[in-house]
Amino acid sequence: MKNERYTLRQLNLLVREAIEDALPDEYWVEAELSECRENSGHCYMELIEKDERSNTPVARASAKCWRQTWMMVKPYFERTTGQPLRAGMKVLLRVYAQFHETYGFSWIVSDIDPTYTLGDMARKRQEIIRQLKEEGVFDLQHELRIPTFAQRIAVISAQNAAGYGDFCRQLEDNDYGFRFDVQLFPAIMQGEQVEQSVISALNQIYNLHSPLNFDVVVIIRGGGATADLSGFDTLALAENVAQFPIPIITGIGHDRDESILDMVANTRVKTPTAAAALLIDNLLRVLERLDDASQRISYAVNQRISNQKTKIATMTTLIPTLALRVVGDQRHRIELLENRLPVAIERRLTNQKHLLESLSIKLQGFDPQLLLSRGYSITLHNGRAVRDPRQLKPGDEIETRVEKGTIHSVVKSEE
């Protein structure tokens, strides 16, 4: 036997028989998908197992799910988990061993248990939520308020998505004539690039943000695969949304469950059109409050006018009576004054007469003639009394008045 020779095919056939004999059954195996791709209706997977402490691979294997099985397994898995099979997922596969003499060894997948993946996804979601709460950012968006007049809208969506078109039409065709200013920030809304693409759009909005730019951000998705929502359940995206300074509304089009993005956003609605309806209703409530305030102001003004009219009518009725009363009071006052006036005049005249007599007596005391009768004289020069001889010079004519007449003289000397 030592010298017996085999062709490679013969040897591979021996391996095939040995494997089929040694592993005749199907087995449930837990693994992580490091790669998952479809080709010609078949699904090709690369399985990996990592060390829990070091996260380094400790086992690898290839697996295949043939078209006939894949056509049944795929839709059931996506309906149950809400997501397609993708790299990074933990899966529970039912497999059997197959060794092909041309293609080598592979595990053939006959079934996939979605509940196992769902549990792992839930665990990861809970871990992300726990971390967000520990960071203190989980409820930051919920503390923001959508502005009263929210009309400047930043939209993150795929540019040609049906959902974005529906959103814009809903805003433009509203029944109240409200006007909205919408600016699109294009992003990839399905697949593995969702996280980075949406974060990039948020960064663009943040760099443009000022009090004059945007009131709210709307993240919408429509027209894509409803199962492909895994990109909205990531820690990095949740952190960016939770800490964004503008209220964020999400409408990414699924009813099965809230994504982590929905949980941390300010407001979550189901669809893009529901997001548009929310913004329209917000303005409608403002309009209703303004109408109510206008009606209350109008009522208050009309009530005030009515009250003033009533007061004027009452005063108009009372004016004749008040006028007669005032006239009567004034007439009585005039009569009193008329009675008091003669007495007051007489008293005033007496007082003035006494004052004149007193002044006359005082004036008599200052009469120059009285002084002259007592032997005094007055010397005048040019009609003015001479008080100082130095006022005169030789040749000046002076007159001296005495009781019985006047003496005229000429000054001969200053001595």
Side-chain angles (χ1 to χ4, degrees):
M1 296 295 293
K2 183 169 62 174
N3 296 325
E4 187 175 357
R5 298 181 180 180
Y6 297 91
T7 64
L8 178 60
R9 183 174 182 277
Q10 290 172 332
L11 187 60
N12 282 352
L13 286 173
L14 288 176
V15 173
R16 176 177 178 175
E17 291 175 1
I19 290 175
E20 289 176 352
D21 290 339
L23 300 171
D25 301 320
E26 294 188 344
Y27 308 91
W28 285 102
V29 59
E30 298 176 356
E32 179 181 326
L33 294 176
S34 63
E35 185 179 336
C36 182
R37 67 185 187 280
E38 289 187 60
N39 187 13
S40 301
H42 310 296
C43 182
Y44 297 88
M45 310 173 196
E46 293 296 326
L47 309 182
I48 192 172
E49 181 181 347
K50 297 177 181 178
D51 184 272
E52 292 182 359
R53 292 170 295 180
S54 63
N55 206 38
T56 56
V58 294
R60 293 180 183 274
S62 297
K64 301 180 181 67
C65 187
W66 303 124
R67 181 190 299 112
Q68 186 174 356
T69 303
W70 181 241
M71 290 175 59
M72 296 183 295
V73 167
K74 176 184 176 181
Y76 176 66
F77 181 89
E78 292 182 352
R79 282 197 310 270
T80 304
T81 63
Q83 298 188 31
L85 278 172
R86 57 180 174 80
M89 272 188 173
K90 291 287 187 65
V91 290
L92 180 61
L93 309 175
R94 189 169 67 182
V95 299
Y96 60 89
Q98 185 181 78
F99 185 89
H100 192 278
E101 54 272 18
T102 302
Y103 303 107
F105 180 83
S106 180
W107 293 105
I108 306 302
V109 178
S110 61
D111 197 4
I112 304 175
D113 184 355
T115 59
Y116 175 87
T117 303
L118 197 61
D120 183 67
M121 289 165 50
R123 181 189 59 78
K124 289 181 178 178
R125 282 162 54 93
Q126 290 303 314
E127 177 62 23
I128 292 174
I129 293 169
R130 182 193 62 76
Q131 187 167 340
L132 292 170
K133 290 182 176 180
E134 286 184 356
E135 293 172 0
V137 302
F138 187 82
D139 291 314
L140 289 181
Q141 270 281 317
H142 302 151
E143 297 172 4
L144 302 178
R145 294 186 62 183
I146 295 176
T148 302
F149 297 93
Q151 294 174 279
R152 298 162 301 178
I153 318 300
V155 178
I156 298 177
S157 175
Q159 186 164 7
N160 298 320
Y164 173 63
D166 294 340
F167 175 82
C168 292
R169 282 190 294 273
Q170 183 91 351
L171 291 183
E172 292 172 1
D173 300 337
N174 71 85
D175 296 331
Y176 311 101
F178 299 146
R179 291 292 174 261
F180 296 88
D181 181 13
V182 178
Q183 183 173 346
L184 175 66
F185 294 83
I188 297 170
M189 301 304 287
Q190 62 182 18
E192 296 180 4
Q193 299 180 48
V194 168
E195 176 187 89
Q196 191 54 48
S197 183
V198 174
I199 290 174
S200 176
L202 287 171
N203 289 337
Q204 293 178 53
I205 296 170
Y206 180 82
N207 291 332
L208 291 175
H209 175 56
S210 77
L212 299 178
N213 283 346
F214 305 111
D215 298 313
V216 295
V217 176
V218 178
I219 301 177
I220 53 178
R221 173 185 182 273
T226 58
D228 195 4
L229 295 168
S230 58
F232 301 104
D233 277 335
T234 70
L235 177 62
L237 180 56
E239 288 175 330
N240 275 267
V241 169
Q243 299 178 80
F244 207 71
I246 311 173
I248 293 179
I249 300 170
T250 59
I252 54 178
H254 64 108
D255 297 328
R256 179 190 59 80
D257 196 4
E258 282 186 311
S259 68
I260 295 176
L261 175 67
D262 292 322
M263 293 179 185
V264 298
N266 178 275
T267 305
R268 178 245 180 169
V269 293
K270 293 181 180 178
T271 62
T273 53
L278 174 70
L279 294 170
I280 294 169
D281 289 343
N282 183 65
L283 283 187
L284 181 59
R285 285 192 296 273
V286 175
L287 179 61
E288 291 172 346
R289 288 200 297 270
L290 291 175
D291 287 343
D292 180 63
S294 176
Q295 291 175 8
R296 285 189 282 111
I297 292 171
S298 177
Y299 174 78
V301 170
N302 290 333
Q303 190 66 30
R304 185 70 178 270
I305 291 173
S306 177
N307 293 339
Q308 293 301 317
K309 286 181 177 179
T310 301
K311 289 182 180 180
I312 292 171
T314 302
M315 293 176 64
T316 303
T317 304
L318 294 175
I319 283 174
T321 303
L322 293 173
L324 291 174
R325 183 181 301 167
V326 171
V327 169
D329 292 342
Q330 294 301 320
R331 183 177 296 160
H332 177 66
R333 187 177 180 187
I334 291 171
E335 290 175 354
L336 292 175
L337 292 174
E338 287 177 346
N339 293 332
R340 295 174 183 171
L341 188 59
V343 177
I345 292 173
E346 182 66 27
R347 183 182 300 152
R348 184 68 178 271
L349 289 174
T350 301
N351 292 337
Q352 293 300 317
K353 184 178 180 181
H354 290 163
L355 180 59
L356 286 173
E357 291 174 352
S358 175
L359 292 174
S360 178
I361 293 170
K362 289 181 179 180
L363 286 173
Q364 288 177 5
F366 293 106
D367 187 354
Q369 194 61 38
L370 287 176
L371 296 174
L372 294 176
S373 67
R374 295 174 183 169
Y376 293 99
S377 65
I378 301 173
T379 299
L380 303 174
H381 177 252
N382 292 332
R384 295 182 178 180
V386 178
R387 299 178 182 275
D388 187 348
R390 290 177 294 183
Q391 293 178 250
L392 303 174
K393 61 183 181 293
D396 286 342
E397 293 183 358
I398 60 174
E399 60 180 35
T400 302
R401 292 181 184 179
V402 294
E403 179 181 7
K404 299 299 185 178
T406 302
I407 301 169
H408 294 275
S409 306
V410 177
V411 177
K412 290 183 178 183
S413 173
E414 294 179 359
E415 296 181 359

